Structure formats: C-alpha cells, structure tokens
Amino acid sequence: MLSWSLAFLVLAILAAVLGFGGIAGAAAGIAKILFFIFLVLLIVSAIFGALRGRPPI
C-alpha cells in the first residue's frame, strides 16, 4: 500500500512539471491522505506491539 502513496507522489511531481495543475493537485492530495493513513497505522501497530512486549524491528 505504501507503493500507491509513492506512485501518486511521483505522478503529482510529473504532472506539476508538465503543467497539469488539476491532476497534480489531485494526485498530491491522494498521496497526502495515504501518507497520513499509513502514519497512523504505523503508530497504532507500534503501540500494540509495545503492549504485547515485542520489541520494534
């Protein structure tokens, strides 16, 4: 799933370079949303892993 976030980020950068403002904005927005979702999931999994007594990898 992280690859989707990176793909939208690359698409946004490429579209911004080529001058497609609407496409770049949409792709950047999707990449930002996915980034924050994955960040929250990372924090939640780290907390649950710590509560189980397992050290982080």
Side-chain angles (χ1 to χ4, degrees), residues 14-48:
L14 181 64
V17 168
L18 295 176
F20 299 115
I23 296 171
I30 292 170
K32 186 189 299 186
I33 291 169
L34 289 175
F35 172 76
F36 285 115
I37 289 172
F38 295 136
L39 185 65
V40 168
L41 290 175
L42 172 73
I43 292 169
V44 168
S45 69
I47 290 171
F48 281 129

